[in-house]
Amino acid sequence: MKTIKFIPVLFLFILASCSSVRVNADYDKNVDFSSFKTYAYHKNGIDKVEISDLDKRRILRAIDAEMLSKGLTKSESPDLLVNIFTKEREQVDVNQFNAGWGFGWGFGWSPFFYGGNTSINRYTEGTLYIDLIDAKKKELIWQGDGEGVLTQNTEKKDQVINEFVTKILAQYPPATKK
């Protein structure tokens, strides 16, 4: 009976640990985030982001949806300015597997192993930063970032970008102690 109760907890743990986006946030602890009601994009900063215009629009649409869900609205005279920037890097994983029999893993020649297989996995890992700037003071007050594997598959780009933005902005506003 204990095994049956344990299985849902184990399943939940496995799902939580398989998240493809790792997120962090930092913020100014002296800021009252409840006073911010409107936002706009920091056009000069957004224009400098070196990604395709299609991906840029995907990110901005996802940010709009998240900001709206938090009760913030776009404005010509905003409380917050939103800026983004990105980084990406190629990753290569090389794994060697012994196909034969023997007593354990090892490097070099062994009379107990024969054959073998090497797998090479190439992928692009990216980081999306979302900055929130106090529009009146022109000071960075909150920064969130998400890091994960990117996709070139056009069908999945919306899903991946939405996941990045949703998980990053889930940390805003920060839970401040009063």
Side-chain angles (χ1 to χ4, degrees), residues 106-117:
F107 294 99
W109 183 85
S110 169
F112 300 106
F113 293 107
Y114 63 90
N117 189 13

Side-chain angles (χ1 to χ4, degrees), residues 39-160:
Y39 75 98
Y41 290 104
H42 187 264
K43 184 171 173 17
N44 291 339
I46 302 287
D47 288 345
K48 292 178 184 175
V49 177
E50 295 182 9
I51 58 175
S52 79
D53 286 344
L54 294 171
D55 286 343
K56 203 178 290 187
R57 283 194 300 267
R58 286 179 177 103
I59 292 169
L60 299 182
R61 278 193 303 263
I63 291 172
D64 283 340
E66 285 301 308
M67 296 299 258
L68 183 63
S69 76
K70 294 176 179 300
L72 290 122
T73 55
K74 262 187 177 175
S75 172
E76 294 293 321
S77 54
D79 301 322
L80 289 172
L81 292 173
V82 178
N83 192 34
I84 63 168
F85 62 100
T86 61
K87 290 183 185 177
E88 70 177 47
R89 65 205 149 280
E90 278 301 307
Q91 300 285 43
V92 179
D93 289 338
V94 179
N95 295 304
Q96 292 183 327
F97 303 98
N98 289 316
W101 50 272
F103 298 104
W105 294 96
F107 294 99
W109 183 85
S110 169
F112 300 106
F113 293 107
Y114 63 90
N117 189 13
T118 301
S119 73
I120 299 173
N121 183 25
R122 297 175 193 267
Y123 58 94
T124 303
E125 191 167 83
T127 306
L128 171 64
Y129 296 88
I130 300 176
D131 293 344
L132 300 181
I133 301 160
D134 183 319
K136 290 178 183 83
K137 295 180 181 177
K138 305 290 190 231
E139 292 177 352
L140 178 67
I141 58 167
W142 186 91
Q143 181 178 64
D145 67 83
E147 183 176 297
V149 176
L150 304 178
T151 182
Q152 298 302 318
N153 181 335
T154 303
E155 306 301 318
K156 292 185 179 183
K157 275 189 177 187
D158 285 329
Q159 176 186 347
V160 170

